[in-house]
Amino acid sequence: RDGSHALLLDIFGSATIRAPDGSWIVASKSPVAFGLLFRLAIDAGATLPRAQIIELLYDDDTKATRLRFNTLLASQRRRGVRFLITDDGVGLAAEAVEWRPAHAGLLFGGWDGVVSATYEAWFANERRRIVLRCLEDPLAALNHAREHARWGEVAQHSRRILDLDPLNEAAHAAMVEALIFTASKVEAIEYLAYAERTIGDHSVLARQPLAALRERILGAQSPGEAAM
């Protein structure tokens, strides 16, 4: 394949290949295929031991799983994926991998496949690491806007963060603060109820107790109260 083929991953769910003629080819038609491409894309430009990848994808390195792995590699190569292949390693060319922009529901959308128990544990941790990295700049901008009481900007940054991480309590709390200062405390409390439902659906993954979020919001002052 020539250098103009590019593998595009949307982080959590699908991978496509952009061919030289501008056409698109679906690269990951199975969870295992996406799992392979995602793992190699994390370290694009390097080759990883085949045994390591096989154990990650299949929970075991046996003659049967090695055969399945070789079949998977062959099918992906036919689709246009450009692998780096050595005697005992496999990788992806760094210049051939592009990450699509993060999208809404990054944490909980787009992934319902099952690869292996080993992969699922690794994937959950890696996904969180990527999300946190994506949140660094938006969170910094949010905190800066809050420090300068620019509540319209606070609302904008909060929405951006919640697109990436729907359970981010800091962004939910900041949104409520923005509503207090730009709308009303009633609207802020209504948003709080929405935030509590959203976080409550996945409460096991919430990083702060819901009670802490409610306490912060109910303790915030509106402009009129602040002047009293």
Side-chain angles (χ1 to χ4, degrees), residues 132-143 157 160-161:
L132 292 177
R133 188 173 63 196
C134 292
L135 289 175
E136 288 179 0
D137 289 342
L139 281 171
L142 172 63
N143 291 331
H157 294 310
R160 181 183 175 192
I161 292 166

Side-chain angles (χ1 to χ4, degrees), residues 108-161:
F108 302 101
W111 179 256
D112 57 5
V114 176
V115 178
S116 69
T118 304
Y119 179 86
E120 298 306 319
W122 172 85
F123 182 71
N125 290 331
E126 191 64 24
R127 182 165 64 172
R128 167 52 67 183
R129 186 183 69 82
I130 291 176
V131 170
L132 292 177
R133 188 173 63 196
C134 292
L135 289 175
E136 288 179 0
D137 289 342
L139 281 171
L142 172 63
N143 291 331
H144 185 266
R146 287 183 73 243
E147 289 172 2
H148 293 82
R150 297 200 292 261
W151 300 110
E153 293 181 24
V154 168
Q156 292 176 359
H157 294 310
S158 296
R159 293 188 190 96
R160 181 183 175 192
I161 292 166

